[in-house]
Amino acid sequence: MVLRTVVTHAKKHPALIPLFVIIGCGGVGASLYLMRLAMFNPDVSWDKKNNPEPWNKMAPNDQYKLFSINMDYSRLKKDRPDF
């Protein structure tokens, strides 16, 4: 129903097509980033029975950030105790 409305508006007003494309790409990008945070962030624990504290199993050279400026994670030494 919504898709039909978007298509009819795009046929009547072709100048709206770039707006629909940009908003659609933004929504898809936001959804993919949210899915990435839910799956790969060490703060999120989906399996509390087998891995209750996943943040303790991160090695010091694991990069879990999406973007890192001027930080080489492969050279980090272990500076925290084992639990």
Side-chain angles (χ1 to χ4, degrees), residues 6 16-34:
V6 169
L16 293 177
I17 293 173
L19 179 68
F20 293 147
V21 169
I22 290 171
I23 289 176
C25 289
V28 168
S31 300
L32 289 175
Y33 182 68
L34 185 64

Side-chain angles (χ1 to χ4, degrees), residues 53-67:
E53 296 176 341
W55 50 88
N56 284 337
K57 295 187 180 182
M58 296 286 295
N61 56 0
D62 287 343
Q63 179 179 355
Y64 62 91
K65 290 184 176 183
L66 176 68
F67 188 73

Side-chain angles (χ1 to χ4, degrees), residues 23-81:
I23 289 176
C25 289
V28 168
S31 300
L32 289 175
Y33 182 68
L34 185 64
M35 187 170 42
R36 180 195 175 275
L37 285 177
M39 295 297 183
F40 300 116
N41 197 352
D43 296 334
V44 178
S45 178
W46 291 96
D47 187 14
K48 296 207 184 272
K49 190 173 195 178
N50 295 326
N51 193 8
E53 296 176 341
W55 50 88
N56 284 337
K57 295 187 180 182
M58 296 286 295
N61 56 0
D62 287 343
Q63 179 179 355
Y64 62 91
K65 290 184 176 183
L66 176 68
F67 188 73
S68 175
I69 299 174
N70 298 331
M71 186 67 171
D72 187 13
Y73 285 93
S74 64
R75 296 183 189 171
L76 288 178
K77 303 277 190 277
K78 183 177 180 180
D79 61 349
R80 58 185 179 237

